[in-house]
Amino acid sequence: MALPGLILLAGVLAVPLAALWALRWASSRGELGHGDRAALLPFDEEEPVGQSTDQILNRPAKP
Amino acid sequence: MSVPTKTLSALMPGDVSDEHAKRALLAEIDASCRVPLLFFFVSALGWLLVGTLLALVTSIKMHHPAFLAECPWLTFGRVRPAHLNAVIFGWASQTGIGVTLWLMCRLCRVPFIAPGLATVAALFWNLGLTIGIVGILAGDSTSIEWLELPRYATPILFLSYALIAVWGVITFRLRRERHLYVSQWYLLAALLWFPWLYATAQILLVLEPVRGVVQGAVNWWFAHNVLGLWFTPIGLAAIYYFIPKVIGRPIHSYYLSVIGFWSLALFYNWNGLHHLIGGPLPAWMITVSIVASVMMLIPVITVAINHHVTMRGHFGKMRHSPTLRFVVIGAMCYTLTSLQGVANSFRGISEVVHFTHHTIAHAHLGVYGFFTMVMFGSMYYILPRITGREWPSLGLISLHFWACTIGLVVFVGPLTLGGIIQGFGMNDASKPFIDVVTGTLPYLKLRTVGGLLLGLGHVAFVANLVWLLCRVFGPYRAPVIALIKGNESTAAVGK
């Protein structure tokens, strides 16, 4: 197989192979076993769960 | 490099400073992002306006071919690729990078590292792109779809991108939060996938071009993957972050989101060759691509279910949140365009819709309906935080949203239908070709109308941003905290 063919083949295979490697790495670090905790990562004490943000349109007029 | 926590506090006198003190870390992160993100966002919007103008010229030429035809720089063969590259690399990539940088900082819990370096990268990106677009208009296009930028411009873009990708990896390594949110998986993957795609395609198609049908295979592998492995991960990362943040509720099922990410990573890469059905390629290559396209139902359906169930009971908040409006519309378009893509990969359907305006409508539903709408929503959330100012005109926000949404429907709907009719017409040997061509004119004119509406929305957005930036340098007007933290949510916390 010519060099361009090898580059193309490597290009096509690289993404799923890298994904499989990353999946193994994530599994070994326990990243796949803490879904409940990971789901809360966008939130913190300053912007906690239960608090809406960005509510700026169509608000009732101030008295 | 960290930015002092009081950077934003100094802008906010009086009673808001106590409230602001509680947001010390977020404020520090947001303030540290200000300069590089503003550079990326403002230049991205500049390219959006340029790209929109080029798109309108292109669209008008489709039904009035003599329009501006006397100027060689504005002929269809130059304006159309100039539009594509201005929008893909100028608007979509730059705003995507800006959103990526902010999300990485927020989720890694670290201030922006070396903002000066990122600003220099942005400067070089725009320099390379300007040289490239002028080169295309001057007639130096490579004539390879999605890679039209002349070879003297691309090294500058690649160097700039390398700086950004290195920044992303360093930020990830320095993160204060050990666990990863699904958005980080998408963003890291996108940062690593894009240079691989771009470098491979540049080598095989521009620097040392392969011959024959392999060119087509590489071209579609690259073009399709830019959508699926560069824009899609960034868009989905933003959706997974902003929907929970705005409604104040975690994503319905984190495990579904993980399945969605890994199945995208495993299957999307093989999809592109379904665009070459009927072409002179080995049948097995096409078949593998069709199978992989069908496998994409897994990430698409998991993402759609997850977003919908998360939003259930909260759709009313779209009335109050510009971010939620744009992001939810974008998420819906992601599902639509993905299912449409799967359907189009079947041989029987592809034989009708390929080489028609249906493909153009499909691409715009993905790049505009999904990605661009999500990026608009993200910018509505990010810009008030990094500037410390609220959006000055709510009317312009509404105009932006409705002009873009209606414009998208007027653009994509008729063109999708017109493409199908065109496809059946072209497959009918008894029908004169000119009849098929003239039959598409009403749909092409509607596309121009849709494009004008999109342009109106873009102008409204840019006007609002310019107004906001004028306030940044003017006197203090409104406490940003009071506006960005609105009503307390009464929603139940999801699983």
Side-chain angles (χ1 to χ4, degrees), chain B residues 293-316:
Chain B
S293 303
V294 176
M295 295 299 280
M296 282 302 295
L297 285 172
I298 297 171
V300 172
I301 290 175
T302 52
V303 165
I305 291 173
N306 220 0
H307 291 164
H308 181 77
V309 179
T310 303
M311 277 297 296
R312 194 167 55 191
H314 295 269
F315 283 99

Side-chain angles (χ1 to χ4, degrees), chain B residues 89 142 144 146-151 154-155 157-158 196-209 218 221-222:
Chain B
F89 295 109
T142 64
I144 301 167
W146 290 71
L147 289 168
E148 289 95 342
L149 292 173
R151 58 192 301 171
T154 48
L157 285 174
F158 197 81
W196 180 256
L197 295 170
Y198 196 68
T200 305
Q202 281 288 333
I203 291 169
L204 294 179
L205 293 176
V206 180
L207 301 179
E208 291 291 333
V218 177
W221 172 79
F222 170 73

Side-chain angles (χ1 to χ4, degrees), chain B residues 7 38 249 294 317 430 466:
Chain B
T7 307
L38 277 179
R249 175 186 185 183
V294 176
K317 288 178 179 166
S430 66
V466 171

Side-chain angles (χ1 to χ4, degrees), chain A residues 3-60 62, chain B residues 22-26 106 109 175 177-181 185 193 196 200 204 210 214 218 221 229 241 244-250 254-255 258 262 265-266 269-270 317 319-323 325 381 385 390 394 397 483-489 493:
Chain A
L3 183 62
L6 287 173
I7 295 174
L8 178 60
L9 192 62
V12 171
L13 290 175
V15 172
L17 288 178
L20 284 172
W21 177 83
L23 182 60
R24 185 170 174 273
W25 177 81
S27 177
S28 66
R29 281 175 49 91
E31 291 290 346
L32 307 179
H34 301 282
D36 294 336
R37 175 173 159 72
L40 297 174
L41 286 178
F43 304 95
D44 51 35
E45 291 178 356
E46 298 153 16
E47 290 181 351
V49 173
Q51 186 170 34
S52 302
T53 56
D54 196 56
Q55 304 289 299
I56 62 173
L57 295 173
N58 300 309
R59 294 182 308 162
K62 290 178 182 175
Chain B
K22 297 175 186 172
R23 306 180 72 249
L25 178 61
L26 295 187
R106 275 270 182 138
R109 309 267 198 268
R175 69 190 186 280
E177 176 59 54
R178 181 179 174 274
H179 286 289
L180 300 181
Y181 186 57
W185 282 113
W193 280 332
W196 180 256
T200 305
L204 294 179
V210 290
V214 185
V218 177
W221 172 79
L229 297 179
Y241 183 84
K245 282 296 276 188
V246 173
I247 67 174
R249 175 186 185 183
Y254 187 80
Y255 295 106
V258 171
W262 292 107
L266 290 171
N269 173 55
W270 310 84
K317 288 178 179 166
R319 190 165 173 266
H320 304 292
S321 167
T323 298
R325 284 186 183 188
Y381 196 91
R385 284 161 171 75
E390 194 46 77
L394 302 183
I397 294 176
L483 292 176
I484 61 175
K485 282 192 167 182
N487 307 329
E488 291 291 316
S489 170
V493 176

